[in-house]
């Protein structure tokens, strides 16, 4: 026999790991499937834990401050106004203290909109939605007047726990920022007894879905 015959005799054909497992007994293949399934569950669990830690625990180091992971997107722009889609976890305007200076307005100025210094309206930090801001003093004044005259209609969607008896209704109660004992910062709440500024909310249910 020549050298080529010997080489061909002992040549090893490349075979993928999955292909090798396909030629093993059924028990080995079943073990691999279980290992893959377990690994996928473990990876998903780890990712969910990391996401929870980053989204909730890190921002909680400074109660009431903006989350560094909170996002925003400009939905409309012209020479007079900007319409910004503010994500949850982001303050609309700066709070009290340097640790609450990070907000939607400051981030807009950081990316090239230095003229945006005020907001004619705002959304709570943990509420996501559209915010319109003026790019000129005249536009800002015009927007403020429209909100003050209640010429602007706002629509919110919320996921709530529990099913109200009625399918729709309204809440006509004054609201104001109130800080209860033990809380780190004030929150907007309904006030009894006529104190606070007037607020009317009409609501209706869109869907009733069980948790399971």
């Amino acid at each position: 026999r020549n050298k080529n015959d010997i080489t061909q005799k002992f040549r090893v054909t490349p075979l993928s790991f999955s292909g090798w497992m396909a030629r093993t007994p059924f028990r080995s293949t079943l073990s691999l499937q279980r290992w893959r399934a377990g690994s996928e569950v473990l990876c998903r669990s780890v990712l969910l834990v990391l996401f929870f830690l980053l989204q909730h625990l890190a921002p909680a180091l400074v109660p009431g401050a903006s989350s560094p992971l909170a996002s925003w997107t400009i939905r409309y722009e012209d020479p007079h106004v900007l319409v910004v889609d503010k994500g949850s976890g982001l303050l609309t305007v700066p709070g009290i203290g340097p640790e609450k200076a990070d907000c939607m307005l400051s981030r807009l100025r950081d990316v090239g909109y230095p003229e945006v210094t005020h907001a004619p309206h705002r959304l709570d930090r943990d509420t996501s939605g559209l915010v319109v801001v003026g790019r000129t003093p005249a536009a800002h004044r015009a927007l403020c007047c429209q909100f003050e005259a209640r010429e602007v209609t706002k629509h919110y969607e919320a996921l709530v726990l529990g099913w109200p008896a009625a399918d729709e209704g309204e809440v006509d109660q004054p609201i104001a920022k109130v800080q209860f004992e033990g809380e780190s910062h004030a929150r907007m709440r309904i006030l009894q007894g006529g104190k606070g500024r007037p607020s009317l909310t009409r609501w209706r249910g869109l869907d009733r879905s069980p948790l399971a």
Side-chain angles (χ1 to χ4, degrees):
R1 299 177 180 177
N2 56 32
K3 184 177 179 180
N4 292 335
D5 292 335
I6 297 176
T7 302
Q8 292 180 3
K9 182 177 180 180
F10 292 97
R11 182 178 299 166
V12 178
T13 303
L15 187 64
S16 66
F17 180 74
S18 59
W20 174 78
M21 287 302 297
R23 298 186 182 184
T24 59
F26 172 78
R27 187 171 182 176
S28 298
T29 304
L30 184 60
S31 299
L32 177 62
Q33 291 175 347
R34 289 177 177 174
W35 179 82
R36 285 175 175 172
S39 300
E40 291 177 359
V41 172
L42 178 61
C43 290
R44 291 175 182 175
S45 300
V46 170
L47 290 175
L48 286 175
V49 171
L50 290 176
F51 177 81
F52 175 83
L53 292 175
L54 291 174
Q55 186 71 19
H56 296 282
L57 298 188
L61 297 176
V62 182
S66 293
S67 166
L69 301 179
S71 62
W72 57 272
T73 306
I74 295 178
R75 295 298 186 185
Y76 175 80
E77 175 181 356
D78 67 24
H80 307 286
V81 300
L82 293 175
V83 178
V84 184
D85 187 358
K86 185 190 81 69
S88 175
L90 180 62
L91 292 170
T92 304
V93 298
I96 300 175
E99 68 277 3
K100 298 181 182 180
D102 178 30
C103 62
M104 187 194 76
L105 294 183
S106 65
R107 296 188 185 187
L108 285 171
R109 292 193 295 268
D110 290 342
V111 297
Y113 299 94
E115 71 279 7
V116 178
T117 57
H118 298 87
H121 71 115
R122 65 189 69 181
L123 295 176
D124 292 342
R125 184 193 64 170
D126 296 327
T127 301
S128 62
L130 298 178
V131 180
V132 57
V133 294
R135 301 186 65 181
T136 65
H140 176 71
R141 285 194 300 270
L143 290 170
C144 288
C145 291
Q146 292 178 56
F147 277 98
E148 185 177 0
R150 299 183 179 275
E151 296 176 358
V152 180
T153 302
K154 303 177 184 178
H155 294 273
Y156 295 88
E157 290 187 4
L159 180 64
V160 299
L161 181 62
W163 290 359
D167 292 329
E168 59 183 26
E170 69 176 38
V171 180
D172 189 1
Q173 297 284 349
I175 59 174
K177 278 195 171 183
V178 179
Q179 183 174 356
F180 290 151
E181 184 178 354
E183 293 184 337
S184 59
H185 59 281
R187 298 176 182 273
M188 191 67 73
R189 291 182 167 93
I190 293 176
L191 295 184
Q192 303 295 335
K195 298 180 180 180
R197 69 171 184 259
S199 176
L200 173 62
T201 299
R202 294 186 176 93
W203 63 270
R204 64 184 178 90
L206 299 177
D207 185 31
R208 295 176 183 262
S209 301
L211 294 178

